[in-house]
Amino acid sequence: MPLFADDHDYRYVEVNGNQLAYLCKGSGDLTFLLISGMGLDAHSTYKNTFHNAKPNGYQLCFYDRAGTGNSTLKKPGVRTMAELSNELEVFTRKAQMKQLVLIPYSFGGIIARAFAHRNPDLIEGIIFVDSAHESWYEDLRKSMSDSAWAIMESIIEWERNTHSFEDFAEASRQSDLYSFKRDHPVIVLSRGLPHVSIRQTKIRYWDVDAYTDSWNRS
């Protein structure tokens, strides 16, 4: 059963004891798969894209990782990048998605690259939407003041231990998981705007700039 009320008629597949919710529109062998960021449900992230799209000759889909959106997480706990990638592998196999263009946002970009590394023959291309790169974690740590980094580290720990159960620090240490075929078409989209929302944490403007600059470099 879905965790949250929603007007959409979700479909479900079981992966590692969890019920993963997904939704598709259009039809065809080619699947454009929307992948959300850390702790985010896919519908909230991509609802405008999904609702406004009119797929012709392909299907557009999104899915919720275990514990987000309408998907269950039977045993809450921190999951490694290898586990998150495996979840996507099993999900796409059970949902019978064989020709994929991945469209990941933020932390989803690391998951997409790990998946592409292990499943190169399933990938037709990747469209990165403001996606994270594993280099960002260490660059951010070096770029921010000690006080600002302490705040960011507490946020990352909260995500890992309480909210999303996804570990950015662990994911950032797995560079060997993220190489993929250079002949895959790749598009990188970024809004290029400062991440001013983190001013809510009371960090200095200098550190906001350091955050934004390090993100843009990654």
Side-chain angles (χ1 to χ4, degrees):
M1 294 294 292
L3 298 179
F4 307 107
D6 198 296
D7 293 332
H8 295 297
D9 185 17
Y10 283 91
R11 288 181 273 178
Y12 294 84
V13 294
E14 183 176 335
V15 178
N16 299 326
N18 301 312
Q19 294 295 322
L20 297 195
Y22 71 103
L23 192 65
C24 296
K25 63 190 297 188
S27 62
D29 293 332
L30 185 64
T31 299
F32 284 71
L33 182 60
L34 302 161
I35 303 174
S36 62
M38 180 176 285
L40 301 175
D41 71 275
H43 182 264
S44 293
T45 302
Y46 284 110
K47 60 184 177 183
N48 290 336
T49 299
F50 188 80
H51 290 165
N52 291 324
K54 297 178 174 60
N56 183 10
Y58 65 93
Q59 64 174 348
L60 178 65
C61 304
F62 64 76
Y63 82 107
D64 286 323
R65 292 193 293 280
T68 66
N70 285 0
S71 293
T72 64
L73 182 56
K74 189 175 181 180
K75 296 180 179 179
V78 179
R79 297 192 294 162
T80 65
M81 181 51 58
E83 290 172 311
L84 295 171
S85 174
N86 174 262
E87 177 182 81
L88 181 54
E89 291 178 38
V90 177
F91 164 72
T92 54
R93 183 173 70 248
K94 289 193 171 184
Q96 299 183 332
M97 300 175 181
K98 298 178 181 179
Q99 292 178 253
L100 290 161
V101 176
L102 303 179
I103 309 176
Y105 167 68
S106 191
F107 184 73
I110 302 182
I111 299 173
R113 289 171 56 213
F115 176 89
H117 173 77
R118 290 172 53 91
N119 302 274
D121 294 338
L122 298 181
I123 300 297
E124 300 294 330
I126 306 178
I127 303 172
F128 293 104
V129 182
D130 253 334
S131 289
H133 188 273
E134 70 273 12
S135 65
W136 181 59
Y137 181 85
E138 186 62 24
D139 190 12
L140 182 63
R141 184 185 68 80
K142 293 178 179 178
S143 300
M144 287 185 132
S145 67
D146 290 344
S147 59
W149 174 247
I151 293 172
M152 290 305 304
E153 199 168 28
S154 68
I155 293 172
I156 292 169
E157 289 177 356
W158 173 77
E159 281 282 359
R160 180 188 65 213
N161 299 327
T162 307
H163 183 228
S164 69
F165 301 110
E166 296 175 345
D167 190 347
F168 198 94
E170 186 274 339
S172 298
R173 293 192 293 266
Q174 307 301 325
S175 294
D176 58 332
L177 293 179
Y178 305 136
S179 62
F180 53 89
K181 283 186 176 181
R182 292 300 178 183
D183 57 354
H184 284 147
V186 170
I187 295 173
V188 179
L189 304 176
S190 179
R191 63 180 188 161
L193 298 175
H195 291 257
V196 293
S197 61
I198 63 170
R199 270 288 292 160
Q200 297 173 20
T201 65
K202 309 301 182 182
I203 68 173
R204 299 175 303 174
Y205 284 108
W206 184 91
D207 284 308
V208 173
D209 291 340
Y211 183 105
T212 300
D213 291 344
S214 63
W215 180 267
N216 289 342
R217 284 193 294 270
S218 78

